[in-house]
Amino acid sequence: MSGASLADRLRSALARAPADPPLEGDLPELRAQASVEAAVLIAVTDRSDPGVILTVRREHLRTHAGQIAFPGGRIDAGEDPVAAALREAHEEILLDPAAVDLVGMIDAYRTVTGYVVTPVLGVIPPDLPLEPHEHEVADWFEAPLGFLLDPANQRRASALFAGRTRHYYEIMWNDRRIWGATAAMIVNLSRRLQWS
């Protein structure tokens, strides 16, 4: 596989059985109620040391203000997860859908806010002229794929939520705190790819 493209290497890794079962979602009693279909794009940059594109949500947004996320959102009528992820990435950071070499989808993740989120994995050329949407996205950045997927960097933490202890994952990269559903989807990707 040494001569294989990054997209082909990712496809081969995705085809293997996962190392561990995927995380299904947040609090069990709330994830059972999740029903709104959504999708995110996990855009991996085609470099010798690949990166992953992440966004920082604007502080004024009603949900998840200021949090780090993958570009994505609700699946509109007539869309599948791939179409929704590509549309949202274009809306949020002006990522041209034609620039994405689709790899595949990973396990859906159910959030406490009622979404069933399907992550769509794709490879993009490095150094695209991405621009954050002025009303939704404060910033975007690229974090190293290897760092994100290393289980040593995926810290399990807990906090009190709705009167109960909630466990979640967080990943600290530089001064960026990636946590909650985004970190959980990274953990699931790590379990699927077993990347090294």
Side-chain angles (χ1 to χ4, degrees), residues 88-167:
E88 288 281 348
H90 184 256
E91 289 174 6
E92 292 184 17
I93 55 174
L94 283 184
L95 175 54
D96 181 358
V100 182
D101 185 353
L102 292 169
V103 171
M105 294 182 281
I106 66 167
D107 307 275
Y109 187 82
R110 297 170 182 272
T111 73
V112 293
T113 48
Y115 288 90
V116 182
V117 183
T118 299
V120 176
L121 182 63
V123 173
I124 63 171
D127 306 315
L128 290 175
L130 305 177
E131 291 181 37
H133 186 285
E134 60 180 331
H135 297 302
E136 294 181 32
V137 179
D139 195 11
W140 69 271
F141 64 97
E142 183 178 337
L145 177 68
F147 182 92
L148 296 179
L149 297 185
D150 185 344
N153 299 321
Q154 301 164 357
R155 191 174 76 84
R156 197 159 185 260
S158 63
L160 206 59
F161 177 80
R164 293 186 52 185
T165 300
R166 174 187 173 197
H167 295 280

Side-chain angles (χ1 to χ4, degrees), residues 28-192:
E29 70 278 10
L30 293 178
R31 75 174 179 239
Q33 300 169 22
S35 62
V36 181
E37 297 286 336
V40 296
L41 180 66
I42 304 178
V44 178
T45 55
D46 193 358
R47 310 179 184 276
S48 57
D49 185 11
V52 175
I53 302 298
L54 291 155
T55 66
V56 181
R57 292 171 58 83
R58 288 210 171 272
E59 291 291 346
H60 72 272
L61 294 175
R62 189 170 53 83
T63 58
H64 311 298
Q67 288 189 15
I68 291 170
F70 295 115
R74 186 186 298 245
I75 298 176
D76 288 343
E79 285 185 323
D80 62 12
V82 169
L86 293 176
R87 173 183 53 76
E88 288 281 348
H90 184 256
E91 289 174 6
E92 292 184 17
I93 55 174
L94 283 184
L95 175 54
D96 181 358
V100 182
D101 185 353
L102 292 169
V103 171
M105 294 182 281
I106 66 167
D107 307 275
Y109 187 82
R110 297 170 182 272
T111 73
V112 293
T113 48
Y115 288 90
V116 182
V117 183
T118 299
V120 176
L121 182 63
V123 173
I124 63 171
D127 306 315
L128 290 175
L130 305 177
E131 291 181 37
H133 186 285
E134 60 180 331
H135 297 302
E136 294 181 32
V137 179
D139 195 11
W140 69 271
F141 64 97
E142 183 178 337
L145 177 68
F147 182 92
L148 296 179
L149 297 185
D150 185 344
N153 299 321
Q154 301 164 357
R155 191 174 76 84
R156 197 159 185 260
S158 63
L160 206 59
F161 177 80
R164 293 186 52 185
T165 300
R166 174 187 173 197
H167 295 280
Y168 60 91
Y169 280 90
E170 69 177 4
I171 301 166
M172 296 299 300
W173 180 72
N174 290 348
D175 58 346
R176 311 279 195 176
R177 179 180 183 238
I178 305 161
W179 71 286
T182 301
M185 287 183 266
I186 291 170
V187 169
N188 282 349
L189 183 64
S190 174
R191 292 177 178 186
R192 286 297 304 272

